[in-house]
Amino acid sequence: MTMSLGRVLRTGTVAVLALLWLVPTWLLVVNALVPAESYSGSPHWLPTEFGLFDNMSQAWDRANLGPAFGNSLLYSVVSALAAAVLAAGAAFATIIMPVKHRALWFWVIYSGTLLPLQVFIRPLFLSYAESSLYDTQFGLVLIYTAIAIPFAFFVMRNYALTLPREVVEAARMDGASWWRLFWQIHVPLTRSAMIAVFVFQFVAVWNDLMFGITLTTSRNIRPVMAALADLQGNYSNVGPPVVLAGALLVSLPTLVLFFSAQRFFVSSLRIHR
C-alpha cells in the first residue's frame, strides 16, 4: 500500500511538472503558427491557421539570423569541444595521475559554478575593453570555454571515478607515458561522458544571451540569441507570431543535437558500481 501510494505520488508529480513545461511550449508553437497579419493581440490556445514558414522567413530576414546562426555555431562547437577536452584532462590529472591534494584541486576548479555568472559581468566588460577582446569572436569563445569547464570537469571527474584502475596500472607497467595513457586509453573510455558534456555545453552556449549582448555590439559578431533579442526589441513592428516563430527556429539545432546524442547523454550520467 505504501509503495503503491509512493508510486502514485511520483507519477502525479512528474505529470504536473510535465504539464507545467508543456503549456508554455504549446502556446509558443500554436501562436507561432498564426499568420502575423491575422494576429488579434490575444493568445491562441488552438491552431486555426498556418503561417509558420512565413513567420520564420520574416524573423530570419528582419533579425539577420543567418550570420548569427554561423556565429553561434562557431561559439558552441569550439567552446564545448575545448571544454570537454580540457575537463577530461583535468579529470585525468586529479583522478588517474598521482597528484597531491586532489580534493583541493577539485574545489578550485568546481568553484567556478558556485557563483552566479552575473557577478563576472562588470570585471569581464572592463578587462575585455582594455585588452581588445571586446566585440571579437575570440573573446566570446574564450569566455564560453571558461564558464563551461567547471561543470564539464564535475561530470568528467565523476565518470573517471567509475573507470577500472587495473587498465591504468597495466598500461603503466607496459611503459605507457601519461600522454599516451590519456589519449589512447582515457579518452576512448570516457567518450560517452565527453559527448554528453559537449551536448550540454553546446546547448548552454547556444542559449546564452547575457554575454552575447554584454560583450558584443556588432551584428557580425553577436550570437543568435542576441540577434533574436534585437527582433524582440522591434516587437510592435513584426508582431508576436514572428518573434515566437524566430524563437522556435533558433531552438531547432539544440533539439536536433540533443535527441541525436541522447543515448550518450543518458549513459554517461549513470553511476557504475
Side-chain angles (χ1 to χ4, degrees), residues 117 144 147 203-213 223 225-226:
L117 294 178
Y144 284 143
I147 63 175
V203 172
V205 173
W206 184 275
N207 291 333
D208 172 73
L209 173 64
M210 182 176 64
F211 291 110
I213 62 176
M225 289 302 167

Side-chain angles (χ1 to χ4, degrees), residues 130-144:
E130 293 177 359
S131 60
S132 300
L133 289 173
Y134 184 78
D135 200 29
T136 63
Q137 291 179 329
F138 178 73
L140 280 184
V141 168
L142 191 63
I143 185 59
Y144 284 143

Side-chain angles (χ1 to χ4, degrees), residues 180-230:
R180 182 179 179 185
L181 185 60
F182 173 72
W183 286 110
Q184 296 187 6
I185 297 179
H186 184 76
V187 169
L189 287 176
T190 58
R191 183 184 63 173
S192 60
M194 292 182 69
I195 293 175
V197 164
F198 176 85
V199 171
F200 189 89
Q201 299 302 344
F202 180 99
V203 172
V205 173
W206 184 275
N207 291 333
D208 172 73
L209 173 64
M210 182 176 64
F211 291 110
I213 62 176
T214 304
L215 301 179
T216 64
T217 56
S218 303
R219 278 197 165 190
N220 61 332
I221 302 295
R222 282 197 159 186
V224 69
M225 289 302 167
L228 186 63
D230 288 341

Side-chain angles (χ1 to χ4, degrees), residues 3 34 56 62 69 77 82 97 99-100 104 110 114 139 153 157 159 171-172 186 189 195 222-223 229 240-241:
M3 291 184 61
V34 180
M56 284 184 172
R62 298 201 181 194
F69 254 80
V77 171
M97 297 180 68
V99 299
K100 297 181 180 179
L104 176 62
Y110 183 66
L114 302 181
F153 169 70
R157 174 186 177 273
Y159 194 85
R172 290 294 292 169
H186 184 76
L189 287 176
I195 293 175
R222 282 197 159 186

Side-chain angles (χ1 to χ4, degrees), residues 17-31 44-45 244:
L17 293 176
L19 185 63
L20 291 175
W21 181 84
L22 286 173
V23 167
T25 305
W26 171 259
L27 285 173
L28 185 150
V29 173
V30 169
N31 286 274
H44 292 232
W45 285 90
L244 295 176

